[in-house]
Amino acid sequence: MIERLSHAAFEKIMSGKIKEGATCVIKFYSNQCHYCHALRQDYKQISDQFEGVHFFAFNVDGYPHINSVVDINGVPTIAFVKTGRLPQIDILDDPEEKHGETWYHPEDIVSFIKERVR
């Protein structure tokens, strides 16, 4: 299941206000991004593969200071976050060859998550 993150919940995660450790994947998206819309179904299918990992979607529209919180190059962007007092954040690199429909290749997202889930 994928939950949408409010601005307040996103800031809480990124500021370390969630003390207990949790494993999260966040897809940053915009309503104007066709790649983001096309990635939606693949992201849902990927989320079904990982038990114990929280999957979120965060709309960057209306959140102009996103880069002051997390350094992203654009949307879609996939981030792996371990919550806690000092959250650990890894950003999936842009693909060497973009997928024509969804920007990221779904198997690259799966590999990125598998490398970090322990």
Side-chain angles (χ1 to χ4, degrees):
M1 179 172 89
I2 299 167
E3 295 181 50
R4 290 187 182 183
L5 277 179
S6 67
H7 293 178
F10 173 69
E11 289 176 359
K12 189 174 181 179
I13 289 170
M14 300 311 256
S15 68
K17 290 181 180 171
I18 297 180
K19 307 295 186 239
E20 58 277 347
T23 303
C24 309
V25 177
I26 302 172
K27 178 183 85 167
F28 296 92
Y29 73 96
S30 168
N31 289 333
Q32 289 75 42
C33 171
H34 71 277
Y35 289 121
C36 300
H37 290 288
L39 185 59
R40 184 181 313 166
Q41 187 59 37
D42 288 333
Y43 189 62
K44 167 70 173 104
Q45 290 174 348
I46 292 167
S47 73
D48 292 339
Q49 297 178 37
F50 292 93
E51 195 171 308
V53 177
H54 304 278
F55 281 79
F56 298 104
F58 183 76
N59 187 342
V60 300
D61 296 339
Y63 197 86
H65 59 282
I66 185 71
N67 283 334
S68 68
V69 180
V70 63
D71 188 23
I72 64 172
N73 293 326
V75 291
T77 293
I78 304 293
F80 184 88
V81 180
K82 288 238 180 189
T83 63
R85 292 185 190 274
L86 294 172
Q88 299 171 350
I89 304 156
D90 288 320
I91 304 290
L92 176 59
D93 292 333
D94 288 340
E96 290 182 25
E97 288 188 35
K98 71 178 175 97
H99 186 285
E101 295 287 320
T102 61
W103 186 258
Y104 291 111
H105 295 269
E107 58 272 11
D108 292 340
I109 298 172
V110 170
S111 295
F112 173 72
I113 296 168
K114 282 183 177 179
E115 289 171 6
R116 286 153 181 81
V117 173
R118 299 189 215 296

